[in-house]
Amino acid sequence: VSTQSTWAEDILEESAEVSMFAEAFGEMVANGYGNKIVDALKNKRKADVMEAEETAKRQKIEEEATPVDEPPKTKTIVEVIEVANSQYLEAFQYFDIGPRPTGNIRRDALEGIIYSLGLDISEREVEDLLSCVGLPRNELAVLPPSLPYQKLAVNRSVSSREIPIEEAEAEEGNAEAAPEQPTITTNLADIEA
Protein backbone atom coordinates (compact mmCIF):
# COMPACT_ATOMS: atom_id res chain seq x y z
CA VAL A 1 0.00 0.00 0.00
CA SER A 2 2.88 2.37 0.71
CA THR A 3 4.30 2.03 -2.84
CA GLN A 4 0.95 2.98 -4.36
CA SER A 5 0.64 6.09 -2.18
CA THR A 6 4.25 7.10 -3.00
CA TRP A 7 3.55 6.62 -6.71
CA ALA A 8 0.36 8.73 -6.50
CA GLU A 9 2.20 11.45 -4.56
CA ASP A 10 4.97 11.49 -7.19
CA ILE A 11 2.44 11.93 -9.99
CA LEU A 12 0.69 14.73 -8.10
CA GLU A 13 4.02 16.44 -7.43
CA GLU A 14 5.08 16.17 -11.08
CA SER A 15 1.77 17.52 -12.33
CA ALA A 16 2.02 20.41 -9.87
CA GLU A 17 5.54 21.21 -11.13
CA VAL A 18 4.38 21.10 -14.75
CA SER A 19 1.43 23.31 -13.88
CA MET A 20 3.67 25.84 -12.12
CA PHE A 21 6.07 25.87 -15.08
CA ALA A 22 3.19 26.39 -17.52
CA GLU A 23 1.83 29.25 -15.43
CA ALA A 24 5.26 30.91 -15.19
CA PHE A 25 5.79 30.49 -18.94
CA GLY A 26 2.36 31.98 -19.67
CA GLU A 27 3.13 34.98 -17.45
CA MET A 28 6.48 35.45 -19.20
CA VAL A 29 4.86 35.42 -22.65
CA ALA A 30 2.06 37.76 -21.55
CA ASN A 31 4.63 40.14 -20.03
CA GLY A 32 6.69 40.17 -23.24
CA TYR A 33 3.66 40.79 -25.44
CA GLY A 34 2.32 43.38 -22.99
CA ASN A 35 5.58 45.32 -23.21
CA LYS A 36 5.35 45.24 -27.01
CA ILE A 37 1.82 46.65 -26.80
CA VAL A 38 3.00 49.49 -24.54
CA ASP A 39 5.83 50.15 -27.04
CA ALA A 40 3.28 50.26 -29.88
CA LEU A 41 1.14 52.77 -27.95
CA LYS A 42 4.17 54.95 -27.14
CA ASN A 43 5.40 54.80 -30.75
CA LYS A 44 1.95 55.86 -31.97
CA ARG A 45 1.99 58.84 -29.64
CA LYS A 46 5.51 59.83 -30.81
CA ALA A 47 4.54 59.41 -34.46
CA ASP A 48 1.47 61.62 -34.00
CA VAL A 49 3.57 64.35 -32.38
CA MET A 50 6.24 64.14 -35.09
CA GLU A 51 3.62 64.21 -37.86
CA ALA A 52 1.97 67.28 -36.35
CA GLU A 53 5.34 69.04 -36.07
CA GLU A 54 6.25 68.08 -39.64
CA THR A 55 2.92 69.38 -40.95
CA ALA A 56 3.36 72.65 -39.06
CA LYS A 57 6.90 73.07 -40.44
CA ARG A 58 5.75 72.30 -43.98
CA GLN A 59 2.90 74.84 -43.75
CA LYS A 60 5.23 77.48 -42.34
CA ILE A 61 7.76 76.91 -45.15
CA GLU A 62 5.03 77.07 -47.77
CA GLU A 63 3.67 80.31 -46.34
CA GLU A 64 7.11 81.93 -46.21
CA ALA A 65 8.41 80.59 -49.53
CA THR A 66 5.47 81.43 -51.79
CA PRO A 67 5.17 85.12 -52.63
CA VAL A 68 1.68 86.26 -53.53
CA ASP A 69 2.61 87.58 -57.01
CA GLU A 70 4.76 84.69 -58.18
CA PRO A 71 3.31 81.28 -59.12
CA PRO A 72 5.13 78.30 -57.54
CA LYS A 73 7.83 76.69 -59.67
CA THR A 74 7.87 73.41 -57.80
CA LYS A 75 5.28 71.07 -56.42
CA THR A 76 5.60 69.01 -53.25
CA ILE A 77 4.98 65.29 -53.65
CA VAL A 78 4.18 63.45 -50.41
CA GLU A 79 4.78 59.70 -50.29
CA VAL A 80 3.41 57.48 -47.53
CA ILE A 81 5.00 54.09 -46.95
CA GLU A 82 3.33 51.66 -44.59
CA VAL A 83 5.31 48.74 -43.15
CA ALA A 84 3.52 46.03 -41.18
CA ASN A 85 5.21 45.29 -37.86
CA SER A 86 4.50 41.62 -37.29
CA GLN A 87 5.78 41.73 -33.69
CA TYR A 88 3.16 44.30 -32.68
CA LEU A 89 0.45 42.43 -34.57
CA GLU A 90 1.40 39.15 -32.87
CA ALA A 91 1.33 40.83 -29.44
CA PHE A 92 -2.19 42.19 -29.98
CA GLN A 93 -3.40 38.87 -31.39
CA TYR A 94 -2.17 37.07 -28.26
CA PHE A 95 -4.63 39.09 -26.16
CA ASP A 96 -7.45 38.90 -28.74
CA ILE A 97 -8.98 35.96 -26.89
CA GLY A 98 -12.09 34.19 -28.06
CA PRO A 99 -13.29 31.54 -30.45
CA ARG A 100 -12.51 33.86 -33.38
CA PRO A 101 -10.08 36.79 -33.33
CA THR A 102 -12.04 40.00 -33.81
CA GLY A 103 -9.19 42.30 -34.80
CA ASN A 104 -10.22 44.63 -31.97
CA ILE A 105 -9.12 44.94 -28.38
CA ARG A 106 -11.25 46.67 -25.77
CA ARG A 107 -10.09 49.65 -23.74
CA ASP A 108 -10.53 47.87 -20.41
CA ALA A 109 -8.45 44.93 -21.67
CA LEU A 110 -5.63 47.27 -22.74
CA GLU A 111 -5.80 49.04 -19.39
CA GLY A 112 -5.58 45.71 -17.57
CA ILE A 113 -2.61 44.60 -19.70
CA ILE A 114 -0.71 47.81 -18.95
CA TYR A 115 -1.37 47.68 -15.21
CA SER A 116 -0.52 43.96 -14.99
CA LEU A 117 3.01 44.63 -16.27
CA GLY A 118 3.96 46.33 -13.00
CA LEU A 119 5.46 49.32 -14.79
CA ASP A 120 6.00 52.55 -12.92
CA ILE A 121 3.28 54.32 -14.87
CA SER A 122 0.61 56.61 -13.49
CA GLU A 123 -3.09 56.48 -14.24
CA ARG A 124 -2.76 59.77 -16.13
CA GLU A 125 0.00 58.33 -18.37
CA VAL A 126 -2.18 55.28 -19.12
CA GLU A 127 -5.07 57.61 -19.94
CA ASP A 128 -2.81 59.61 -22.30
CA LEU A 129 -1.57 56.44 -24.04
CA LEU A 130 -5.09 55.15 -24.59
CA SER A 131 -6.58 58.47 -25.66
CA CYS A 132 -3.84 58.99 -28.29
CA VAL A 133 -5.07 55.86 -30.07
CA GLY A 134 -8.70 56.93 -29.92
CA LEU A 135 -9.80 55.23 -26.70
CA PRO A 136 -10.82 58.03 -24.33
CA ARG A 137 -12.49 57.15 -21.03
CA ASN A 138 -16.25 57.27 -21.43
CA GLU A 139 -18.18 56.13 -18.39
CA LEU A 140 -21.55 56.59 -20.13
CA ALA A 141 -20.84 54.31 -23.10
CA VAL A 142 -23.12 51.28 -23.41
CA LEU A 143 -20.41 49.23 -25.10
CA PRO A 144 -16.78 49.68 -24.09
CA PRO A 145 -14.70 51.30 -26.86
CA SER A 146 -12.39 49.02 -28.76
CA LEU A 147 -9.31 49.55 -30.88
CA PRO A 148 -8.76 47.94 -34.29
CA TYR A 149 -5.18 47.00 -33.51
CA GLN A 150 -4.09 46.48 -37.12
CA LYS A 151 -3.74 50.28 -37.30
CA LEU A 152 -1.10 50.20 -34.56
CA ALA A 153 0.75 47.28 -36.11
CA VAL A 154 1.54 49.35 -39.21
CA ASN A 155 4.40 51.83 -39.12
CA ARG A 156 3.92 54.80 -41.44
CA SER A 157 6.72 56.89 -42.83
CA VAL A 158 5.98 60.07 -44.72
CA SER A 159 8.48 61.66 -47.05
CA SER A 160 8.13 64.68 -49.28
CA ARG A 161 10.12 65.93 -52.22
CA GLU A 162 10.07 69.01 -54.40
CA ILE A 163 9.87 68.56 -58.17
CA PRO A 164 9.43 71.06 -61.01
CA ILE A 165 5.83 71.64 -62.06
CA GLU A 166 6.38 70.12 -65.53
CA GLU A 167 7.47 66.79 -64.01
CA ALA A 168 4.60 66.92 -61.50
CA GLU A 169 2.06 67.29 -64.31
CA ALA A 170 3.62 64.33 -66.13
CA GLU A 171 3.45 62.21 -62.96
CA GLU A 172 -0.17 63.21 -62.40
CA GLY A 173 -1.00 62.11 -65.97
CA ASN A 174 0.51 58.69 -65.21
CA ALA A 175 -1.33 58.53 -61.88
CA GLU A 176 -4.69 59.11 -63.60
CA ALA A 177 -4.05 56.15 -65.90
CA ALA A 178 -3.37 53.77 -63.00
CA PRO A 179 -5.09 54.50 -59.66
CA GLU A 180 -2.72 54.56 -56.72
CA GLN A 181 -2.92 51.60 -54.36
CA PRO A 182 -1.70 51.85 -50.76
CA THR A 183 1.64 50.17 -50.28
CA ILE A 184 1.93 47.74 -47.40
CA THR A 185 5.16 45.80 -47.09
CA THR A 186 6.35 43.45 -44.41
CA ASN A 187 9.65 43.89 -42.66
CA LEU A 188 11.45 40.55 -43.10
CA ALA A 189 13.49 41.08 -39.93
CA ASP A 190 10.25 41.07 -37.91
CA ILE A 191 9.14 37.78 -39.46
CA GLU A 192 12.42 36.00 -38.84
CA ALA A 193 12.61 37.11 -35.19
Side-chain angles (χ1 to χ4, degrees):
V1 175
S2 64
T3 58
Q4 287 180 346
S5 65
T6 305
W7 179 74
E9 290 172 3
D10 289 344
I11 289 179
L12 287 175
E13 185 177 334
E14 286 177 14
S15 65
E17 290 173 356
V18 169
S19 177
M20 287 174 45
F21 175 77
E23 185 177 340
F25 184 77
E27 288 176 6
M28 180 188 70
V29 170
N31 190 23
Y33 283 145
N35 284 320
K36 286 181 184 176
I37 287 174
V38 170
D39 288 343
L41 295 173
K42 288 180 179 179
N43 287 341
K44 170 68 172 148
R45 183 172 54 187
K46 286 179 189 175
D48 288 348
V49 169
M50 288 176 51
E51 189 173 330
E53 290 174 355
E54 190 68 32
T55 303
K57 284 181 188 177
R58 193 176 313 121
Q59 288 176 349
K60 184 178 179 183
I61 290 171
E62 287 175 2
E63 289 173 2
E64 292 174 356
T66 308
V68 178
D69 299 338
E70 201 176 300
K73 295 178 181 174
T74 62
K75 185 174 183 177
T76 303
I77 304 293
V78 178
E79 298 174 330
V80 177
I81 299 173
E82 296 180 340
V83 179
N85 187 329
S86 61
Q87 291 180 348
Y88 289 162
L89 186 61
E90 187 178 331
F92 281 105
Q93 287 174 341
Y94 178 80
F95 292 104
D96 190 2
I97 301 170
R100 292 186 318 240
T102 62
N104 294 312
I105 191 161
R106 291 190 346 242
R107 178 195 162 84
D108 57 340
L110 275 175
E111 221 173 326
I113 291 166
I114 293 169
Y115 287 129
S116 71
L117 295 174
L119 301 173
D120 187 25
I121 187 168
S122 69
E123 187 175 339
R124 179 70 185 145
E125 290 172 312
V126 171
E127 183 65 34
D128 287 344
L129 282 175
L130 295 178
S131 63
C132 83
V133 294
L135 293 175
R137 182 177 300 276
N138 186 356
E139 302 294 334
L140 301 175
V142 175
L143 295 173
S146 63
L147 170 72
Y149 54 77
Q150 290 86 354
K151 291 180 181 180
L152 286 179
V154 174
N155 296 332
R156 297 180 71 202
S157 63
V158 179
S159 63
S160 60
R161 59 186 168 107
E162 297 284 329
I163 61 171
I165 289 185
E166 297 83 29
E167 289 180 29
E169 291 171 354
E171 283 187 21
E172 286 177 2
N174 292 340
E176 290 174 5
E180 188 175 323
Q181 297 292 326
T183 305
I184 297 180
T185 57
T186 303
N187 188 350
L188 295 177
D190 291 339
I191 294 174
E192 294 172 0

